[in-house]
Amino acid sequence: MAVVAILIFVLTLTLVIWQPKGLGIGWSALGGAVLALVTMVVQLSDIPTVIDIVWNATLAFVAIVLISLILDESGFFEWAALHVARWGRGNGRLLFVLIVLLGAVIAAVFANDGAALILTPIVIQMLLALKFPPSAALGFVMATGFIADAGSLPLVVSNLVNIVSADYFDISFARYALVMVPVGIVTVLASLAVLFLYFRKTIPKTYDVSHLPAPATAVTDVVTFRAGWIVLALLLIGYFSADPLGIPLSVIAGSAAIVLILVAARQPRFLFRRVVADAERSALAAEAGVTVQKRISVLTVVKNAPWQIVLFSIGMYLVVYGLRNQGLTDELAKVFGSFNDQGVLVAALGTGIVVAVLASMMNNMPTVLIAALAIGAVGASGLTHEAMVYANIIGSDLGPKITPIGSLATLLWLHVLDKKGMHIGWGRYFRTGIVLTIPVLLISLVTLAGWLMVVGV
C-alpha cells in the first residue's frame, strides 16, 4: 500500500507541474485524491481532518490575492514602482536596491504570488521605458522573482506555506511576527547582497528619470486607490487582533477583500455618488490628465482569482495524508528526530536544509505538510520544536527557488516572462537559483536559531 501511495503522489505532482492541455492544478490534485480514496490509501474519515488543516490557510490566501488584484487594477503597484524609480535619481545600482526592497515589501504584505506575478510585468514595462539592455533587464527580473519568495517570511499571510504551518502548529499572528520579522529582515538583506553581487556587472550605472511617466498617471481608479490604504491599515490591525478574539485569518482577509471589491464596484451605489464626483475632480485625477476614472471590472478580477488553489489544497493534502497513513512521514520524522538532541542550531539547519531540498524537488506545497506531519511526530519540545517548525517554513519558502518546479508561483512567473518575450530556460534558472539560494538559506537558518535563543519560547 505504501508503494501505491507513492505512485499516486508522484502521478498527481507530475500532472500539477506539467498541466497537460491546460489542466487546472485543482483538478489534477482532486483526481489524485479520488485515486487515493478508491485505493483506500486514505479514508473518507480523513477528508474532514484535511479540510480542517487547510481551509483557513487557503481562503485567507485567496482573499489576499484578490486584494492585490483589485489594487493592481487601480494602479496601486505601478504608482509605487514609479515612485521608487524616481527615488533612484538616475543611479542604476540604487534603482536595483530599491526594486528589490519594493518586491520584499509587496511579498510580505500581499504574499509571494502577488509580488512575483504583479510586480514583474510592471518592472519589465519600466525597464523598457528606461531602454535598459536585455542583460540588465534579466538581472532586475530575476531579482524580482527571487525576492518574491525570499521576502515572504515575515508575516503569516506572506505565503500560503506560512499560513498552513501557523494553522497546523497553532501559532498566533503576533508570535509568528515576533520570531520571523527579524529573520525576514536579515533574509531580505542577505538576498539583496547576493543578488547585487551576482548581477552587479549587468546593472547600468545611470538611467534617465525623464523617460518615466509621472506616478499619478498610473492611478486609474482614485476611489479604490485611496480606499486601499485604509483597508490595508485596518487589515494589519485585524491580523494582530484575530487571535485574541478567536477570529480566523481568512475571515479578516476575506472581509477586507469584500470591502475593497464593493468599493471597486461602487456598491451600494448611493454611498458613492458624492465620492465619485469628488474623485473625478481631484488633484490626482487632474494631474493624470483624465476626466473620467476607469471602472474596474470586478467580475473579471474575481474570476481571475486563484480559485483552483482551493481544490488543489484539499486534493493535494489528501494525497499527502495518504503518505502519512502508510507510515512514510514517520521515516522523515526519524531524520528530524536525529536533530532533536543536538541543539537549536542543528535542529534549524538540519530541518531547513532537508525541507529545502525536498521542496526544490517535489514542490513546496506538499513538502510543507509532509514536513509538518513529520515534525509533529518527532515529539520535540521547547526551542528545538520551534526551530524545526520555523525552519520548515524557511526551507519551504526559500528551497523552491533552486529549481523551476519548486513552487507554482515560479512556474507561473516563468510563463508570464515567456508571454513578455523573455525566455529563461530551466537549465539557466537552476544554475542561477542554486547559487542565489544556498547562501541566503544558510544565513536565514542560522539567524533563526540565534534569534530563538534570544526571544525564548
Side-chain angles (χ1 to χ4, degrees), residues 246-457:
I247 303 173
L249 281 179
S250 57
V251 173
I252 300 295
S255 299
I258 290 171
V259 169
L260 207 54
I261 286 171
L262 290 174
V263 171
R266 306 295 195 270
Q267 296 294 331
R269 188 177 298 276
F270 71 89
L271 290 177
F272 291 94
R273 289 173 184 168
R274 178 68 179 272
V275 174
V276 171
D278 289 345
E280 290 177 352
R281 292 193 298 268
S282 68
L284 187 57
E287 185 182 349
V290 297
T291 55
V292 179
Q293 289 291 299
K294 171 188 173 185
R295 291 290 295 274
I296 295 173
S297 177
V298 174
L299 289 177
T300 301
V301 173
V302 173
K303 182 180 177 182
N304 290 335
W307 299 110
Q308 282 277 322
I309 203 72
V310 178
L311 304 179
F312 171 79
S313 293
I314 296 171
M316 195 73 224
Y317 286 147
L318 268 172
V319 172
V320 168
Y321 214 73
L323 299 178
R324 176 258 186 194
N325 288 348
Q326 306 310 314
L328 296 173
T329 56
D330 290 339
E331 297 303 314
L332 183 59
K334 292 177 183 177
V335 176
F336 291 159
S338 66
F339 309 138
N340 190 24
D341 299 324
Q342 300 184 49
V344 175
L345 179 61
V346 173
L349 282 170
T351 304
I353 291 171
V354 169
V355 170
V357 171
L358 290 175
S360 69
M361 294 190 301
M362 65 181 198
N363 196 268
N364 65 338
M365 290 297 291
T367 296
V368 70
L369 185 59
I370 290 173
L373 293 168
I375 290 168
V378 170
S381 60
L383 288 180
T384 302
H385 172 72
E386 280 211 286
M388 290 182 177
V389 169
Y390 289 110
N392 179 26
I393 294 170
I394 293 172
S396 296
D397 282 356
L398 298 182
K401 303 313 295 181
I402 296 175
T403 66
I405 65 171
S407 71
L408 297 174
T410 300
L411 291 171
L412 290 172
W413 176 75
L414 290 171
H415 178 65
V416 169
L417 292 183
D418 273 337
K419 289 174 65 177
K420 296 291 183 179
M422 184 177 289
H423 177 72
I424 299 176
W426 283 27
R428 184 177 193 177
Y429 181 94
F430 175 75
R431 290 193 299 272
T432 305
I434 195 168
V435 171
L436 295 175
T437 304
I438 290 178
V440 176
L441 174 67
L442 295 177
I443 291 170
S444 300
L445 293 171
V446 170
T447 302
L448 170 67
W451 182 240
L452 278 176
M453 287 186 279
V454 172
V455 299
V457 178

Side-chain angles (χ1 to χ4, degrees), residues 58-403:
T58 305
L59 294 180
F61 180 77
V62 171
I64 293 163
V65 173
L66 264 173
I67 292 170
S68 65
L69 291 174
I70 291 287
L71 289 177
D72 182 47
E73 287 293 314
S74 76
F76 186 93
F77 297 108
E78 186 176 354
W79 172 88
L82 287 172
H83 269 294
V84 163
R86 288 179 176 275
W87 292 343
R89 298 179 179 179
N91 185 318
R93 293 184 173 181
L94 178 57
L95 176 64
F96 184 85
V97 171
L98 291 174
I99 289 295
V100 170
L101 294 179
L102 175 63
V105 171
I106 293 176
V109 178
F110 298 101
N112 59 326
D113 288 51
L117 303 180
I118 291 175
L119 185 59
T120 298
I122 293 172
V123 169
I124 292 175
Q125 182 180 343
M126 181 193 303
L127 298 177
L128 288 173
L130 292 173
K131 297 180 173 58
F132 278 16
S135 59
L138 178 64
F140 276 84
V141 169
M142 286 291 289
T144 303
F146 185 86
I147 202 63
D149 284 318
S152 68
L153 292 177
L155 303 176
V156 169
V157 295
S158 304
N159 198 313
L160 179 55
V161 161
N162 306 1
I163 311 174
V164 169
S165 300
D167 274 1
Y168 189 83
F169 292 106
D170 197 24
I171 304 172
S172 71
F173 189 91
R175 175 62 186 181
Y176 182 97
L178 175 65
V179 174
M180 293 299 274
V181 165
V183 175
I185 291 172
V186 172
T187 300
V188 168
L189 294 177
S191 300
L192 179 57
V194 172
L195 287 166
F196 186 83
L197 287 173
Y198 192 87
F199 293 112
R200 69 188 185 282
K201 293 182 179 179
T202 65
I203 302 173
K205 292 183 180 179
T206 60
Y207 63 94
D208 190 349
V209 178
S210 66
H211 289 158
L212 295 171
T217 61
V219 180
T220 57
D221 184 337
V222 174
V223 176
T224 305
F225 175 85
R226 290 175 173 173
W229 291 102
I230 300 172
V231 169
L232 291 177
L234 294 175
L235 189 60
L236 187 59
I237 295 171
Y239 285 151
F240 282 98
S241 305
D243 287 302
L245 297 175
I247 303 173
L249 281 179
S250 57
V251 173
I252 300 295
S255 299
I258 290 171
V259 169
L260 207 54
I261 286 171
L262 290 174
V263 171
R266 306 295 195 270
Q267 296 294 331
R269 188 177 298 276
F270 71 89
L271 290 177
F272 291 94
R273 289 173 184 168
R274 178 68 179 272
V275 174
V276 171
D278 289 345
E280 290 177 352
R281 292 193 298 268
S282 68
L284 187 57
E287 185 182 349
V290 297
T291 55
V292 179
Q293 289 291 299
K294 171 188 173 185
R295 291 290 295 274
I296 295 173
S297 177
V298 174
L299 289 177
T300 301
V301 173
V302 173
K303 182 180 177 182
N304 290 335
W307 299 110
Q308 282 277 322
I309 203 72
V310 178
L311 304 179
F312 171 79
S313 293
I314 296 171
M316 195 73 224
Y317 286 147
L318 268 172
V319 172
V320 168
Y321 214 73
L323 299 178
R324 176 258 186 194
N325 288 348
Q326 306 310 314
L328 296 173
T329 56
D330 290 339
E331 297 303 314
L332 183 59
K334 292 177 183 177
V335 176
F336 291 159
S338 66
F339 309 138
N340 190 24
D341 299 324
Q342 300 184 49
V344 175
L345 179 61
V346 173
L349 282 170
T351 304
I353 291 171
V354 169
V355 170
V357 171
L358 290 175
S360 69
M361 294 190 301
M362 65 181 198
N363 196 268
N364 65 338
M365 290 297 291
T367 296
V368 70
L369 185 59
I370 290 173
L373 293 168
I375 290 168
V378 170
S381 60
L383 288 180
T384 302
H385 172 72
E386 280 211 286
M388 290 182 177
V389 169
Y390 289 110
N392 179 26
I393 294 170
I394 293 172
S396 296
D397 282 356
L398 298 182
K401 303 313 295 181
I402 296 175
T403 66

